Amino acid sequence: MKRTLPLLMAIVALTGIMALWVPDGRFLTPANLLDLVQQIAVNAILAFGLTLVILIGGIDLSVGAVVALVGTVAVAVLIPAGWVAAALCGLAVAGLFGWINGLCASRTRMPPFIITLATMLVARGLALRFNEGRPLPVPNQERVFLAMGNARVFDLIPVPVLLMLGAFVVTGVLLHRTAFGQHLYAIGGNREAARFTGIRLARNETVVYVLCSLLAGLAGLIHASQLYSAEPGSGQGFELNAIAAVVVGGTSFTGGTGTLPGTLLGAIIIGILDKGLNQAGVHFSLQYVIKGAVILTAVYLDVRRHQAA
Amino acid sequence: MSRFQTLHRFFHVAGATDAGSSPAQPGPAASSPGWLAGVLAGVLLATGAGCGRPPDEGAAPGSGGGRLFAVSFQTMNNPFFVDLNEGLRQVIEANGDRLVTLDAQFNSLKQKNDIADVLQQQPAAIFVNPVNWEGIKGSLMEARRRSVPALIVDAPVSDPELVLCQVASDNVEAGRLACEALARVNPGARVVILHLSVNKACIDRVAGFRAEAARHPEMRILDVQEGKGTTEGARPVMRDLLARFPDLNAVFPINDPSALGCLSAIESAGKSGQVTVVTVDGSREGVAAVKAGRLHSTSAQFPREIGRVAAEKAYEHLAGKPVDKDVQIPVRLITRENADAIPGTPPGASNAKQRPEFRMARAPGLAADR
């Protein structure tokens, strides 16, 4: 709780600033805030997975490409076989990539940065093989698939938000309420010490990469649904935006510290910045500068705090 | 708030940050104000930057009168779209209204979110240059739900039902003109096409070229290859093609950047003057190559004109007049004969009395990278 308090304060402050800055009080309307949570859903789900990976001292650069690949696979399967098969095939492809990442990271001495850089290229290339790189539309009659990204429950709560909350609860329970989660903190804190206490490093590490990829798969399904199409070129840079949410949320890049609620709040902060600056009419070039400055400040302060403690 | 006052405030808050997390008070408690101040500092910087920017970049909503218009481009990292934006802005500001420009960075999710953000502010109309001609559908449906008219600029969409109108270059004609120019100097050309096959505008250009080529029985299209629409992408492909086809004597790269790559390959293969290059764009670099006699022709597009016409269509609609669904901006063939008549580059000096065909302010570049 102590860790999340500064983040909550930052959210309150940012919301206050945007409420004053965006003209005609249009920021703090319920419709706009619902829009906000819907917009952060994909990034937050990717960030949940990356939190686990970064927590054990790893990294996964392939998530953005996996989003694109899962989208193309799912839409390609969707047209002949329906939404259940589409979702399962999409998640299976994501799981396969996670398994390869995890196997390479845990059984070899290759650095995760390079492993996932390579699998990112493989996933991107496979996605672009589909439909020669052109977007593939989702037929209008695929109501269930389209609902995943666009529908609202009771005409109010967007489905992507519910999926995001579901992913948050499942991942959060795994990380904060199980022995598995405790082991991840131990591995991230000190690998060798964790090994000597009898934690099965390789198995835990592989599971983490698989979980991260599966979450990317879920994000990919939502993304394809939101775009009414599979877009092989989409998802570029998603990994970086998700990493930004993770580090702003207080997860240390060296591993061992960080929480899932922190990541959710980090994703909200990034979302408020994106939306607020857009609505305040800030020139797009300056939006990048401001976002970069905020990330740098947040991480700097986090690092200082750890040095001091 | 002046720029200096804001800077002062920024540094003041940043100073407070240091004090807040000084090593004298370690631990999370000490960092709380630090976090807050850090984020605040960033946002204050934003406020200052927002207020202090040059007036020509469009005012923030709320800072001026008039109605709000918004445009979302697939990228602003291309002079073509910078010019198109200028064309929109001039008309909109002349009407006392304001334009917000959004850069999707080739990211369709960002484009969707950007458009959702701006729709919350109930703009008078939005202009969209879609990243993904399928994926833009959700945004267009949302605009319709809010009764905000949507106009498409430069790149077509798959579902024209959802938009008020589409304004783009006549790309079929641009390709046709290129082939016609080639046929005049080399009716029995052995030609290769360097395509960018994921791009609708380029698909149209190639269709126009092929249609015209069919009218010249002597002409042969030897091969169609991907040139990626860039100078560095086209160069190696062209070199391979020159080696593969000894009788190759003409090439149609679909835009100026790839034409420059072809020229470089032709010159390094020692075949200067033996291969006729015709292309589409009319960028500053392309026109210069035409003047130098390296490039035979380029069919010029007029991005500023696309922007101007799109903005005028929006105003016509808002005034209750019917608007054509499909507006094509004419292109113009530039060869050595008329290249000198094209004025160089008076950036920003867009004289309203100039004929649109001659308004060649900045390099148009590639119509759409995707």
Side-chain angles (χ1 to χ4, degrees):
Chain A
M1 198 59 217
K2 266 182 187 164
R3 296 190 60 88
T4 51
L5 194 62
L7 289 169
L8 283 171
M9 287 166 68
I11 288 176
V12 170
L14 271 176
T15 310
I17 290 167
M18 295 306 178
L20 293 174
W21 196 6
V22 174
D24 310 328
R26 288 193 190 269
F27 190 78
L28 269 186
T29 62
N32 203 36
L33 295 180
L34 266 180
D35 232 36
L36 173 75
V37 272
Q38 175 169 11
Q39 286 177 10
I40 65 166
V42 166
N43 189 33
I45 292 172
L46 293 177
F48 297 157
L50 275 164
T51 305
L52 303 182
V53 176
I54 293 174
L55 207 54
I56 60 166
I59 187 72
D60 188 349
L61 299 178
S62 70
V63 292
V66 167
V67 163
L69 179 60
V70 167
T72 49
V73 168
V75 175
V77 174
L78 178 70
I79 294 162
W83 70 274
V84 178
L88 289 178
C89 287
L91 291 175
V93 169
L96 179 68
F97 266 85
W99 185 66
I100 294 169
N101 284 341
L103 222 56
C104 292
S106 61
R107 309 270 175 193
T108 74
R109 295 178 62 85
M110 292 190 279
F113 188 95
I114 306 298
I115 297 166
T116 57
L117 180 74
T119 51
M120 170 182 85
L121 294 173
V122 173
R124 176 66 62 194
L126 291 175
L128 288 169
R129 276 310 292 172
F130 274 92
N131 211 24
E132 298 173 1
R134 292 174 209 179
L136 189 65
V138 175
N140 280 338
Q141 61 269 25
E142 293 293 344
R143 291 183 184 283
V144 180
F145 189 83
L146 289 175
M148 223 180 326
N150 304 296
R152 296 192 168 205
V153 177
F154 309 123
D155 244 2
L156 183 71
I157 306 156
V159 176
V161 175
L162 292 178
L163 293 171
M164 177 188 79
L165 291 176
F168 177 72
V169 169
V170 171
T171 320
V173 166
L174 269 179
L175 182 60
H176 296 299
R177 292 281 179 274
T178 65
F180 168 72
Q182 288 304 309
H183 292 170
L184 299 191
Y185 281 99
I187 294 170
N190 187 331
R191 242 182 122 78
E192 288 311 305
R195 191 202 304 277
F196 286 124
T197 56
I199 294 173
R200 294 166 70 179
L201 279 183
R203 200 184 68 173
N204 280 304
E205 226 173 337
T206 310
V207 171
V208 163
Y209 279 94
V210 170
L211 282 174
C212 178
S213 236
L214 284 175
L215 286 164
L218 175 64
L221 294 173
I222 297 173
H223 185 58
S225 170
Q226 282 183 330
L227 294 182
Y228 293 82
S229 60
E231 188 190 330
S234 70
Q236 300 195 26
F238 279 23
E239 58 280 351
L240 302 180
N241 217 27
I243 290 170
V246 174
V247 296
V248 168
T251 298
S252 157
F253 228 75
T254 48
T257 43
T259 64
L260 207 66
T263 295
L264 179 61
L265 298 179
I268 292 174
I269 288 177
I270 302 271
I272 295 177
L273 272 176
D274 279 341
K275 197 176 188 63
L277 295 175
N278 257 348
Q279 295 191 326
V282 175
H283 196 258
F284 64 86
S285 54
L286 284 168
Q287 295 195 11
Y288 306 144
V289 177
I290 293 161
K291 214 168 134 185
V294 170
I295 293 170
L296 201 61
T297 315
V299 178
Y300 170 69
L301 293 169
D302 200 47
V303 169
R304 268 184 78 111
R305 185 175 63 186
H306 284 292
Q307 281 172 344
Chain B
M1 201 191 306
S2 86
R3 215 182 297 208
F4 289 111
Q5 275 173 322
T6 318
L7 275 178
H8 175 75
R9 284 183 64 184
F10 169 56
F11 285 117
H12 182 71
V13 174
T17 311
D18 286 340
S21 53
S22 72
Q25 292 173 285
S31 74
S32 306
W35 270 94
L36 192 59
V39 176
L40 280 173
V43 172
L44 276 175
L45 172 67
T47 325
C51 297
R53 78 195 137 166
D56 66 310
E57 285 185 67
S63 69
R67 288 172 291 188
L68 173 72
F69 291 80
V71 57
S72 170
F73 287 106
Q74 52 181 320
T75 177
M76 283 303 276
N77 183 19
N78 183 335
F80 183 91
F81 293 119
V82 176
D83 278 356
L84 208 165
N85 190 51
E86 280 301 294
L88 285 171
R89 199 174 58 78
Q90 276 169 4
V91 175
I92 287 168
E93 288 184 357
N95 279 279
D97 295 329
R98 53 191 200 278
L99 176 71
V100 169
T101 304
L102 302 158
D103 175 10
Q105 292 180 284
F106 292 129
N107 177 343
S108 19
L109 186 61
K110 182 171 189 317
Q111 186 162 50
K112 187 183 166 97
N113 291 346
D114 284 351
I115 293 175
D117 291 350
V118 86
L119 284 175
Q120 288 284 347
Q121 305 187 322
Q122 206 63 35
I126 55 169
F127 303 92
V128 183
N129 169 239
V131 176
N132 168 343
W133 68 83
E134 301 287 352
I136 199 66
K137 193 163 145 190
S139 302
L140 298 176
M141 280 159 62
E142 179 67 12
R144 165 159 290 189
R145 205 176 62 74
R146 292 175 166 272
S147 339
V148 174
L151 295 94
I152 302 296
V153 287
D154 178 59
V157 290
S158 69
D159 210 348
E161 286 304 297
L162 291 167
V163 300
L164 174 67
C165 85
Q166 311 200 44
V167 184
S169 290
D170 188 345
N171 280 301
V172 176
E173 176 68 6
R176 201 192 65 73
L177 283 175
C179 185
E180 208 178 58
L182 174 64
R184 272 201 296 271
V185 291
N186 191 352
R190 296 287 176 269
V191 58
V192 289
I193 297 176
L194 261 65
H195 208 332
L196 176 62
S197 64
V198 294
N199 184 317
K200 184 72 172 68
C202 299
I203 292 169
D204 286 350
R205 289 174 199 174
V206 171
F209 188 93
R210 280 181 181 281
E212 179 66 22
R215 299 180 51 226
H216 302 274
E218 303 283 285
M219 199 181 274
R220 293 266 179 286
I221 295 175
L222 299 174
D223 199 7
V224 181
Q225 285 288 337
E226 283 295 317
K228 302 192 181 79
T230 61
T231 305
E232 62 273 23
R235 197 180 132 94
V237 178
M238 188 62 201
R239 232 178 353 218
D240 293 345
L241 287 168
L242 283 169
R244 212 172 110 202
F245 299 108
D247 57 339
L248 190 163
N249 58 15
V251 54
F252 175 54
I254 44 63
N255 65 7
D256 277 0
S258 47
L260 296 175
C262 286
L263 286 171
S264 148
I266 291 164
E267 283 156 16
S268 74
K271 295 201 169 180
S272 308
Q274 298 170 33
V275 182
T276 314
V277 186
V278 291
T279 185
V280 175
D281 247 353
S283 69
R284 188 161 48 172
E285 294 79 5
V287 174
V290 170
K291 282 184 188 170
R294 299 166 66 210
L295 189 59
H296 178 68
S297 81
T298 178
S299 313
Q301 313 189 73
F302 300 93
R304 212 174 259 259
E305 185 65 6
I306 297 177
R308 190 186 66 76
V309 171
E312 277 170 3
K313 294 291 166 197
Y315 279 108
E316 281 172 23
H317 173 75
L318 295 174
K321 292 182 202 155
V323 173
D324 290 337
K325 198 105 198 170
D326 202 357
V327 183
Q328 295 198 318
I329 304 301
V331 290
R332 184 162 182 274
L333 188 74
I334 297 180
T335 58
R336 211 168 177 184
E337 286 79 57
N338 65 358
D340 287 325
I342 308 292
T345 51
S350 52
N351 187 341
K353 284 184 213 124
Q354 269 181 344
R355 288 180 50 211
E357 289 86 355
F358 289 99
R359 211 179 293 160
M360 290 283 304
R362 267 171 286 173
L366 169 60
D369 279 334
R370 300 177 44 86

